[in-house]
Amino acid sequence: MKKTRLIMELFLTMLKIGAFTFGGGYAMIALLQNEFVTKKAWLGEEEFLDMVAIAESTPGPIAINSATYIGYRTAGFFGSLFATLGVCIPSFFIIFAISLFFDAFLSLTLVAYAFKGVQACVIYLILSAGLKMLKGIEKTPLRLALLAAVMLCMVTFSIFAISFSTILYILVCGAIGVMLYLLGTLKREVSK
């Protein structure tokens, strides 16, 4: 009974987040952090940061990957199933409804202005989530150097309109991390 209540709470929370998040998974990160780290304390700050990194680097939308992880971590298989359904259902019905009236929907002036307002809100949500995550990371020289290098590359490539895949950023930073780990392990073995 207790687990059923927990699964229902997960489902309803994810349904609420899925229904009121505009701008995709990155905009959802701030809401997930507020709900599951701050309010419910189901995840710690460090675990949440790890979850975001894993959800970003695995195939599929970050919102669905995050919901699946949080659900599994909190209530096992059925928790992940219902959390994922909860985050997907609102988008499915909204997109389905819009597709029925797509042309008429886009021609409404009020809708166009609403989307412009939502764009500003999405920028704020993504920036807010990024700043909270930045505050939460352990500030080691390696992490700060990688963060600075990636930000410099992203800004430079954006200014000069160079198309560069974010997957490559993730792979390069992951390879650097693995290489430094292996070098540290080798150094410890040699010093024994």
Side-chain angles (χ1 to χ4, degrees):
M1 188 66 176
K2 186 177 179 182
K3 190 165 185 172
T4 305
R5 188 177 301 134
L6 179 63
I7 290 171
M8 187 54 72
E9 186 178 356
L10 259 170
F11 175 77
L12 292 174
T13 303
M14 287 299 185
L15 190 70
K16 176 181 72 171
I17 289 172
F20 294 105
T21 302
F22 296 96
Y26 292 111
M28 190 178 283
I29 291 172
L31 297 173
L32 290 171
Q33 184 176 29
N34 183 48
E35 197 69 38
F36 294 104
V37 176
T38 307
K39 286 184 181 176
K40 295 183 183 346
W42 287 350
L43 298 174
E45 190 70 40
E46 189 69 28
E47 185 178 12
F48 182 79
L49 293 173
D50 291 341
M51 184 263 321
V52 170
I54 291 168
E56 171 59 36
S57 58
T58 53
I62 189 170
I64 294 173
N65 293 343
S66 299
T68 304
Y69 176 85
I70 291 170
Y72 187 79
R73 166 71 172 74
T74 307
F77 172 77
F78 288 106
S80 66
L81 177 68
F82 281 93
T84 304
L85 283 173
V87 84
C88 292
I89 287 172
S91 299
F92 174 79
F93 283 111
I94 290 169
I95 296 298
F96 180 72
I98 289 173
S99 72
L100 295 175
F101 311 103
F102 190 67
D103 292 330
F105 187 73
L106 287 180
S107 65
L108 296 173
T109 307
L110 186 63
V111 171
Y113 285 121
F115 278 126
K116 287 183 191 285
V118 166
Q119 286 174 350
C121 183
V122 167
I123 291 169
Y124 165 76
L125 287 172
I126 292 171
L127 184 62
S128 171
L131 291 174
K132 283 181 184 178
M133 290 171 60
L134 182 62
K135 287 179 188 175
I137 66 169
E138 183 183 338
K139 310 239 181 341
T140 64
L142 171 65
R143 288 182 181 180
L144 293 175
L146 285 174
L147 178 66
V150 168
M151 288 179 72
L152 178 67
C153 287
M154 288 175 66
V155 169
T156 303
F157 294 162
S158 294
I159 289 172
F160 295 109
I162 299 171
S163 179
F164 199 79
S165 173
T166 54
I167 294 170
L168 195 54
Y169 288 124
I170 293 168
L171 292 175
V172 168
C173 290
I176 291 170
V178 168
M179 184 179 66
L180 290 173
Y181 171 77
L182 292 174
L183 286 174
T185 303
L186 183 64
K187 187 188 287 186
R188 283 191 297 275
E189 290 295 322
V190 169
S191 66
K192 285 185 179 180

